[in-house]
Amino acid sequence: MADFFTAQPGETAAPLPPGPILCSGSAGMRRVHRFFLWAYDEAPGLVRSTDTGDTARAAYVGEVLGNFDGVLHIHHEGEDLLMYPQLAGRAPGCALHVAQMLEHHRQVGERLDRIEPVRQRWMETARAEDSEELADLYEDLSALLKVHLRREVTEVMPVVDRVLSEKEMDAVGQHGIEQFDKKFLVGYLGMMMATNPLDDQKAFFKEIPAPVRLAYRLVGRRMYRRQYSTLFPGRKIPETL
């Protein structure tokens, strides 16, 4: 997925303001977006891999997918509160791009709202009709994300790197971290890292609070491997730090 973040024909980046690069927001955003691309590429297949009537697996897979949805929602919420208002105020030439990204966020939120009741119903019933409806909804969300996640990185983040400070971008990431309990974060760190190249894994790991890093080394890596093998029986588990 190294070449995913390349502008497609007809896509134009926002004009770059003068001045030096102030933060490494683009690099961090690529790391997070790789996880979402992977998660929602896998989501429809995870639903369809669950046999009709297997409510135990539906409950497990549905919980994982609900966690993905929660992380995505909080990620966009942090950007809406702590990144896009600042970008709009400091880089007026980026106004049309900001409006487009916020519209994408609205569309993602709309799809998550449609997914939620179907996911909950499927977790309880594992019915074939609920399975197909849920898988179709996740395919639709994945298609939208493949546009949004690319365009946010290629069109908007180079401007963010020049108008937001490192401290401000750290706050965008911390918004997500603070919304979840530490046990949840430790269990999902492995998936986040497994979707990134080794150098990005190392950079991402350095940004994590020291207590969470320690917890990952002690129990999180095993939690990740157990969860991955349960979700994808027989598939080789990607290595992580």
Side-chain angles (χ1 to χ4, degrees), residues 119-134:
R119 182 180 65 84
Q120 292 288 352
R121 188 169 67 244
W122 175 71
M123 289 172 67
E124 295 175 0
T125 67
R127 292 187 307 182
E129 55 266 40
D130 294 333
S131 172
E132 198 53 37
E133 181 180 2
L134 184 59

Side-chain angles (χ1 to χ4, degrees), residues 142-157:
S142 179
L144 172 60
L145 287 173
K146 285 174 181 175
V147 175
H148 170 68
L149 298 175
R150 180 186 70 249
R151 292 186 61 184
E152 190 168 58
V153 167
T154 60
E155 298 183 11
V156 174
M157 290 310 299

Side-chain angles (χ1 to χ4, degrees), residues 28-241:
M29 199 65 76
R30 283 187 178 90
R31 291 194 286 271
V32 175
H33 283 192
R34 287 187 189 108
F35 166 73
F36 287 130
L37 288 164
W38 170 81
Y40 288 100
D41 249 359
E42 296 284 6
L46 280 169
V47 174
R48 292 184 174 120
S49 73
T50 302
D51 291 337
T52 299
D54 188 349
T55 53
R57 178 166 171 83
Y60 183 85
V61 170
E63 181 181 6
V64 171
L65 294 177
N67 287 335
F68 290 167
D69 296 347
V71 173
L72 177 60
H73 169 72
I74 292 298
H75 173 69
H76 282 173
E77 181 181 81
E79 292 176 345
D80 291 349
L81 292 171
L82 302 170
M83 188 177 85
Y84 279 114
Q86 292 79 349
L87 181 60
R90 298 173 194 176
C94 202
L96 292 177
H97 288 80
V98 170
Q100 180 65 75
M101 294 302 104
L102 293 177
E103 172 60 16
H104 284 170
H105 286 188
R106 186 195 68 77
Q107 293 174 16
V108 168
E110 188 179 69
R111 282 160 173 79
L112 290 174
D113 287 343
R114 290 207 299 267
I115 283 170
E116 180 62 13
V118 181
R119 182 180 65 84
Q120 292 288 352
R121 188 169 67 244
W122 175 71
M123 289 172 67
E124 295 175 0
T125 67
R127 292 187 307 182
E129 55 266 40
D130 294 333
S131 172
E132 198 53 37
E133 181 180 2
L134 184 59
D136 287 347
L137 287 169
Y138 274 121
E139 284 182 342
D140 180 53
L141 175 57
S142 179
L144 172 60
L145 287 173
K146 285 174 181 175
V147 175
H148 170 68
L149 298 175
R150 180 186 70 249
R151 292 186 61 184
E152 190 168 58
V153 167
T154 60
E155 298 183 11
V156 174
M157 290 310 299
V159 181
V160 171
D161 290 345
R162 284 171 167 76
V163 300
L164 268 71
S165 68
E166 202 71 59
K167 182 177 180 181
E168 288 173 319
M169 279 307 299
D170 285 346
V172 177
Q174 286 297 317
H175 173 82
I177 291 174
E178 291 168 0
Q179 301 296 311
F180 300 104
D181 66 54
K182 296 300 182 286
K183 183 179 180 181
F184 170 83
L185 288 175
V186 167
Y188 276 73
L189 275 179
M191 288 193 183
M192 183 74 76
M193 288 194 289
T195 54
N196 278 280
L198 182 59
D199 287 347
D200 283 280
Q201 290 187 39
K202 292 176 180 177
F204 176 67
F205 204 60
K206 288 178 182 177
E207 297 170 359
I208 299 167
V212 179
R213 290 202 302 270
L214 177 61
Y216 176 75
R217 290 191 179 102
L218 293 175
V219 299
R221 188 182 291 108
R222 288 197 302 275
M223 291 170 66
Y224 150 68
R225 295 182 68 83
R226 184 166 60 248
Q227 184 174 66
Y228 193 97
S229 64
T230 304
L231 290 171
F232 308 105
R235 189 187 296 187
K236 181 179 179 182
I237 302 171
E239 294 297 328
T240 67
L241 291 179

